[in-house]
C-alpha cells in the first residue's frame, strides 16, 4: 500500500547551479578570462566544440530565473560566484560590476525568501593564476583567500551559508591528472599538489568567512558516489581500496583530522608520482589548518561505480552481469551513469558514521535525459521524476538511520553547459532552448513544486 512519508520540518528543498555552466557573458562588464574560457576555446576539448560563452545567458536573465525558482517554490538556491568576474586577474583589482551582479542576485533571492548557498569555487579559476601554476602552487591558495575576503565582506551580512569548494577531487583529477577538464593536465603528481592546495585554501578560508559573515554555516562539497566491489576476490578489494583511497579518503581523512592516508601515499610512490612519503607540498601546520571544524558536509551524488581489478574506463564500469545492451534501459541515464538510489542512503550513512560531520546536505543530485517538448509543448521527463523520487526516498531512509540531513539541492535548476560534454547533456528541471534562451518548465519541475509544497513523498 502506498504511504505518504514526510521530511523533517524545515527541510531545505533546493536547486543547484554553477557560474560557468549558466552565466555566459564570458567577457562582459570587466570579467577576466577563466581556465574554462581558455579550455573551451581550445579546439578538440569539448564535445561538438561547445563553449560557455553565452550558456543560459543567466547573467542577463537572472531575474527570470529567480522568478522560476520562486514559482517552483524552492526554499534554497546553491549558486557559485565566478572568481574572474570579481577579481579579473585573480588578485588585486576588484571588478565592482562583478560584485554588483552577485549583490543584486542575492538581494532578489532574499526578497523572494529563497536562502542562498554560495559556493566560492566551482572550477572557474582565473587564467592569470593558471599561468602562475594554478592549483599546483601554494600562491593560488593564498589568492583564494584574497578572493574569499572580497566576496564575503561584500555579501557576508546577507549570505549565511557558504561552500568553499565544489568537488576538489574532481577538480584535481579531471583537471590535473586525467586531462578531461580545464586546465587539461595529465600528471598525477600535479594533481596531488593541486588537491593539497585546494584543501589548504579551504582551511584558511573557513576562519576568514566566520569573521566576515557572523553566524555563517560553512562547508565543502564532495563528489561521493557509491563505490561497490565487483567480487569477493582480493584483487577487486584491492582495486576498491585504491580508488576509494585516491578519490575519497585522500580528501575526507585530512578534512576530518586524520591526515593523508598512508596506504594511498604508498600507492602513489609505487606509481612514481612521489619520491617518498615526505609530501613536498605539505608544510608544518597545514594538516591542522585543513582539519578546521566546519558546520556541514555537502554531498554530490549521482551513481554507483564498481571497483574491479581489470582496467576499464569509468563510463564502461558495468556491474557484474550487466551487458552493454542493458545499458539503454531505464536504469541508465544519458551520461552513462547507472541509476542506483540506495547508494545515496549508503553514502550519507557511511559519511555520517565514519566522519561525523555535524550536518549533511545533498548539494547535488540529478540526471541527464534529453526529453524535449512534445508537439503540445509539454516536456514529459518521467524518467527524471522517477530518478528524483527514488533518490528522495533514499534520503529519507538515511534520515531514518539517524543521518542529520538538512536539505537536498537538485542538479540542476536548468539545462546547462555540462563541462566536456557541452550542451549534449540536459540535467535541468527547466528546459533551455539554446537558440532563443527560452525557459520552459519540464514536468519534473511541476512535480517538484508539489513535493516541496507537501514536504513529503508518496511511496
Ligand atoms: C558534478 C559537478 C556539476 C555537474 C554535475 C553533473 O560533478 O559538480 O557541476 O556538472 O556533476
Amino acid at each position: 500500500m502506498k504511504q505518504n512519508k514526510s521530511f523533517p520540518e524545515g527541510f531545505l528543498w533546493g536547486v543547484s547551479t554553477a557560474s560557468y555552466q549558466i552565466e555566459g557573458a564570458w567577457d562582459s562588464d570587466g570579467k577576466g578570462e577563466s581556465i574554462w574560457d581558455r579550455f573551451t576555446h581550445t579546439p578538440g576539448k569539448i564535445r561538438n566544440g561547445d563553449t560557455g560563452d553565452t550558456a543560459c545567458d543567466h547573467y542577463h536573465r537572472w531575474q527570470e530565473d529567480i522568478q522560476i525558482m520562486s514559482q517552483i517554490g524552492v526554499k534554497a538556491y546553491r549558486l557559485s560566484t565566478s572568481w574572474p568576474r570579481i577579481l579579473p586577474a585573480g588578485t588585486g583589482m576588484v571588478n565592482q560590476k562583478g560584485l554588483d551582479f552577485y549583490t543584486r542576485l542575492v538581494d532578489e533571492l532574499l526578497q523572494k525568501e529563497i536562502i542562498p548557498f554560495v559556493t566560492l569555487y566551482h572550477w572557474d579559476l582565473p587564467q592569470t593564476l593558471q599561468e602562475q601554476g594554478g592549483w599546483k602552487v601554494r600562491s593560488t591558495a593564498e589568492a583564494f583567500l584574497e578572493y574569499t575576503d572580497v566576496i564575503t565582506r561584500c555579501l557576508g551580512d546577507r549570505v549565511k551559508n557558504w561552500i568553499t569548494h565544489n568537488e576538489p577531487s574532481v577538480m584535481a583529477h579531471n583537471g590535473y591528472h586525467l586531462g578531461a577538464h580545464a586546465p587539461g593536465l595529465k600528471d598525477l603528481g600535479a594533481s596531488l599538489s593541486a588537491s593539497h592546495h585546494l584543501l589548504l585554501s579551504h582551511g584558511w578560508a573557513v576562519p576568514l568567512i566566520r569573521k566576515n559573515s557572523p553566524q555563517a554555516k560553512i562547508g565543502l562539497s564532495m563528489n561521493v558516489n557509491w563505490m561497490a566491489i565487483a567480487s569477493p576476490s582480493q584483487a577487486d578489494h584491492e582495486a576498491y581500496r585504491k580508488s576509494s583511497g585516491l578519490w575519497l579518503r585522500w580528501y575526507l581523512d585530512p578534512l576530518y583530522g586524520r591526515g593523508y592516508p598512508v596506504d594511498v601515499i604508498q600507492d602513489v610512490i609505487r606509481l612514481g608520482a612521489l619520491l617518498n612519503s615526505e609530501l613536498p607540498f605539505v608544510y608544518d601546520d597545514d594538516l591542522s589548518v585543513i582539519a578546521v571544524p566546519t558546520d556541514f558536509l555537502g554531498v554530490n551524488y549521482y551513481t554507483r561505480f564498481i571497483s574491479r581489478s581489470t582496467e576499464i574506463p569509468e563510463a564502461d564500469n558495468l556491474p557484474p552481469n550487466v551487458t552493454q545492451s542493458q545499458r539503454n534501459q531505464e536504469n541508465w541515464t544519458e551520461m552513462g551513469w547507472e541509476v542506483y538510489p540506495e547508494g545515496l542512503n549508503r553514502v550519507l550513512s557511511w559519511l555520517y558514521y565514519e566522519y561525523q560531520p555535524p550536518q549533511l546536505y545533498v548539494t547535488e543530485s540529478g540526471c541527464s535525459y534529453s526529453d524535449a517538448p512534445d508537439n503540445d509543448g509539454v516536456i514529459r521527463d518521467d524518467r527524471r521524476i522517477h530518478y528524483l523520487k527514488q533518490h528522495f526516498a533514499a534520503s529519507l531512509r538515511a534520515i531514518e538511520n539517524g543521518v542529520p540531513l538538512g536539505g537536498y539541492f537538485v542538479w540542476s535548476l536548468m539545462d546547462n553547459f555540462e563541462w566536456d560534454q557541452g550542451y549534449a547533456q540536459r540535467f535541468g528541471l527547466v528546459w533551455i532552448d539554446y537558440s532563443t534562451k527560452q525557459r520552459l518548465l519540464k514536468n519534473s519541475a511541476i512535480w517538484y513544486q508539489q513535493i516541496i509544497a507537501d514536504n513529503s513523498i508518496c511511496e
Side-chain angles (χ1 to χ4, degrees), residues 18 21 122-123 166-167 223 300 302 337 364 411 418-419 427:
Q21 295 180 274
H122 200 126
W123 307 349
N166 179 66
E167 302 185 351
N223 179 289
N300 297 351
Y302 288 92
W337 291 345
E364 285 181 25
W411 184 270
E418 177 47 38
W419 310 114
F427 277 89

Side-chain angles (χ1 to χ4, degrees), residues 16-18 21 78 122-123 166-167 170 174 181 221-223 225 300-302 335 337 363-368 411-412 416-420 425 427:
S16 203
T17 65
Q21 295 180 274
R78 173 177 176 241
H122 200 126
W123 307 349
N166 179 66
E167 302 185 351
V170 177
N174 288 10
H181 284 180
S221 287
M222 276 286 294
N223 179 289
N225 290 299
N300 297 351
Y301 177 84
Y302 288 92
M335 277 296 267
W337 291 345
T363 42
E364 285 181 25
S365 186
C367 49
S368 166
W411 184 270
S412 176
N416 58 47
F417 178 83
E418 177 47 38
W419 310 114
D420 53 316
Q425 303 289 347
F427 277 89

